[in-house]
Amino acid sequence: MATLKLTIFKAKVLKDGRHKIRVAVCHHQETSYIVTQFVIDNISQFKNGQVVKRADSALMNMKLRTMLNEYQKRLDTINNVDLYSCTQLKDMIARGAIKHEADTFAKVCDDYIEELCKNGRIKYANMLSDTKRYFGEFAKGDVGLADITPDFIELFSSYINRKNWSDATKGIVLRNVRTIINKAIKRRLVSYAINPFISCKIPRPPVRDVSLSVETLRKILHSEPDSRYMQISRDIFALSFYLGGINMIDLVNIKFDNEYVVSFSREKVKGRTASNNEIKLHINDAARVILSRWVDKRTMKLNFGYNFGYENFRRHISRGVVKLAKNLGITNRVMFYSARKTFAQFASELGIPDSVINYCLGHSDQNRGVIRYYTKVRERQAEIAINRVIDYVENPEKYKEFLEMKADIMMMKM
């Protein structure tokens, strides 16, 4: 059981011979100390946890007792105390009990942005910077965490609703604000009797309908572009589809040092989960042909001869995919994300289990069960799934009867 008491640490004497009064946190047969602002002239002025032999001893003792009661109150609110080390417990008590002026929305936001930048998640860090600015514009400055109430969030929601933003942008901003508040709660910088987001409805963007028909996809995959730019755009689009809807940022970061298998962890979720969630996919023949054109033998990564940063490269290729579709006379909306969306759509239509599709896409599987941890089993399932989707695109007539039967069964269930 953790205990608190006022004490003097004799070894930590100040240069002028005085001593600071400390709060000793005793836990797991260890002791950590919280330094207070109270100072005595010598050890004789402190006895049995009380300040003595001073003109202001009564006032100091009253303030010390108030502070100790505050620390004890904070200690009593911590669940499962035995799970924490003595040092962790000391930090939690000190951080929660003292009212820091720095415990504001902007301060928590800045700390998280710094953490994201260290982990290389620059894009998300920039999004949070924008959210911090919008929140500050609304509040006309910074705001203390304790001052963020449900009414405050409702007013902020109304504020951004008046802006000419899409529902997607409004949802992103509100979710980012909620993330910062949840970070503050998790770090015990603030506690709320009622969560500020209890009555806030965060708009959800409409699902982007950018999946393609078999005919449209075949037209792109089988196209023969007359420029290097169009060929690169087509090949990256095709690689995304042939490798289970892989995202562009993962494609450009992967080392293709194995001719038959690719292993990677999605950049989007790195550092957000305890495990790496490594995905292993078989490299099929169609993907292998494309990789043979662009993999640098020295780095074993894709190299298209561009000297772009990732964001500029992403925009360059995205525009190329749109231009390629236009050149082919395709009137449907086509974007790079269409490769991922179309793979998932076709896999679902072919009756491939959602858990296998999630594995290919790198999504978390909420109902994953034991099989999720048998990587070789899931890897083999993913290989079968990807090959079946590719075969469906190349030979759609083989699956016509199956899809019609599946549609009939769905109708009977309605």
Side-chain angles (χ1 to χ4, degrees):
M1 180 179 177
T3 60
L4 306 177
K5 65 178 181 180
L6 297 171
T7 188
I8 296 294
F9 198 173
K10 295 180 181 179
K12 293 287 185 179
V13 61
L14 300 176
K15 288 183 179 180
D16 58 4
R18 297 188 302 165
H19 291 268
K20 284 191 174 183
I21 298 175
R22 302 165 190 264
V23 176
V25 182
C26 305
H27 183 55
H28 288 331
Q29 298 181 337
E30 294 180 3
T31 303
S32 293
Y33 299 92
I34 302 172
V35 181
T36 75
Q37 72 271 32
F38 300 100
V39 181
I40 56 175
D41 297 327
N42 53 67
I43 295 177
S44 65
Q45 291 182 346
F46 191 82
K47 185 177 181 180
N48 297 327
Q50 297 259 345
V51 178
V52 297
K53 300 179 182 179
R54 288 177 60 101
D56 59 350
S57 60
L59 179 60
M60 285 182 68
N61 284 327
M62 182 183 70
K63 291 182 177 180
L64 284 166
R65 176 52 55 187
T66 300
M67 182 191 66
L68 193 63
N69 287 342
E70 184 70 22
Y71 283 138
Q72 185 64 53
K73 180 180 177 181
R74 186 58 186 175
L75 174 61
D76 293 340
T77 63
I78 298 175
N79 296 322
N80 301 318
V81 170
D82 288 337
L83 295 177
Y84 302 101
S85 68
C86 187
T87 301
Q88 289 174 327
L89 204 60
K90 181 261 295 185
D91 290 340
M92 292 164 67
I93 294 169
R95 204 164 48 222
I98 300 175
K99 302 296 181 183
H100 292 287
E101 291 182 0
D103 289 347
T104 64
F105 180 86
K107 176 62 169 61
V108 178
C109 206
D110 287 338
D111 289 345
Y112 190 33
I113 289 170
E114 182 180 355
E115 177 186 327
L116 291 170
C117 290
K118 287 180 180 178
N119 292 330
R121 296 170 62 191
I122 306 300
K123 188 174 180 180
Y124 187 31
N126 291 337
M127 288 171 56
L128 281 179
S129 294
D130 291 339
T131 297
K132 174 191 166 187
R133 176 163 53 85
Y134 302 141
F135 203 72
E137 288 172 356
F138 163 72
K140 295 181 172 58
D142 201 1
V143 59
L145 294 171
D147 297 325
I148 301 175
T149 63
D151 288 340
F152 190 96
I153 294 298
E154 284 295 317
L155 290 171
F156 177 65
S157 179
S158 299
Y159 169 76
I160 64 174
N161 278 332
R162 292 194 294 271
K163 292 183 175 290
N164 189 25
W165 291 349
S166 66
D167 283 347
T169 301
K170 293 173 185 176
I172 287 170
V173 171
L174 285 171
R175 278 191 291 274
N176 286 344
V177 171
R178 186 176 61 186
T179 294
I180 296 302
I181 290 174
N182 287 341
K183 284 281 180 185
I185 294 171
K186 186 177 179 180
R187 293 173 181 175
R188 298 182 179 271
L189 298 177
V190 67
S191 61
Y192 298 103
I194 301 175
N195 190 288
F197 273 82
I198 190 170
S199 57
C200 178
K201 294 182 179 179
I202 299 179
R204 290 184 176 273
V207 178
R208 291 184 291 182
D209 185 17
V210 292
S211 61
L212 308 176
S213 66
V214 172
E215 294 74 16
T216 299
L217 182 63
R218 282 168 57 90
K219 188 177 287 189
I220 295 174
L221 297 179
H222 295 168
S223 64
E224 296 182 2
D226 56 4
S227 73
R228 187 172 184 275
Y229 175 33
M230 290 294 98
Q231 183 184 20
I232 291 173
S233 299
R234 182 209 57 192
D235 281 357
I236 297 180
F237 181 91
L239 272 178
S240 175
F241 180 78
Y242 290 144
L243 293 177
I246 191 171
N247 283 319
M248 193 187 305
I249 191 169
D250 296 316
L251 263 179
V252 299
N253 284 316
I254 288 174
K255 269 194 169 185
F256 292 95
D257 47 7
N258 187 316
E259 186 180 356
Y260 299 100
V261 177
V262 60
S263 302
F264 67 99
S265 296
R266 288 185 70 199
E267 292 290 330
K268 185 175 181 179
V269 298
K270 276 186 179 178
R272 298 166 84 175
T273 58
S275 61
N276 290 327
N277 286 334
E278 186 182 57
I279 304 163
K280 288 189 177 183
L281 299 175
H282 175 76
I283 302 176
N284 50 71
D285 293 340
R288 199 175 297 118
V289 170
I290 298 174
L291 291 172
S292 67
R293 285 197 287 266
W294 305 113
V295 171
D296 188 315
K297 301 301 182 183
R298 182 177 57 85
T299 63
M300 301 308 294
K301 290 186 175 183
L302 293 173
N303 185 350
F304 302 99
Y306 292 122
N307 192 25
F308 293 158
Y310 171 71
E311 282 302 317
N312 286 334
F313 178 75
R314 180 187 62 79
R315 285 192 287 267
H316 183 65
I317 297 303
S318 296
R319 287 193 294 265
V321 170
V322 173
K323 186 176 179 181
L324 174 64
K326 184 177 180 181
N327 292 346
L328 294 172
I330 297 171
T331 57
N332 308 70
R333 186 185 181 193
V334 179
M335 54 195 303
F336 182 81
Y337 182 72
S338 297
R340 182 176 176 86
K341 178 73 173 171
T342 302
F343 171 82
Q345 182 66 38
F346 288 174
S348 179
E349 289 176 4
L350 293 170
I352 294 168
D354 289 349
S355 59
V356 178
I357 300 174
N358 283 333
Y359 180 84
C360 295
L361 298 174
H363 289 168
S364 62
D365 188 353
Q366 300 297 328
N367 301 313
R368 57 190 182 179
V370 176
I371 195 171
R372 175 72 176 182
Y373 299 98
Y374 287 87
T375 307
K376 290 185 178 179
V377 174
R378 190 56 60 88
E379 180 185 338
R380 175 60 178 157
Q381 291 174 329
E383 178 185 356
I384 294 171
I386 293 172
N387 287 340
R388 185 171 297 168
V389 171
I390 294 173
D391 187 52
Y392 168 55
V393 173
E394 297 300 330
N395 305 286
E397 65 283 351
K398 284 172 52 177
Y399 297 85
K400 183 178 179 181
E401 185 177 344
F402 167 78
L403 293 176
E404 289 176 350
M405 181 180 66
K406 185 169 180 262
D408 290 342
I409 293 173
M410 292 290 290
M411 290 297 294
M412 290 172 62
K413 290 183 177 180
M414 294 179 65

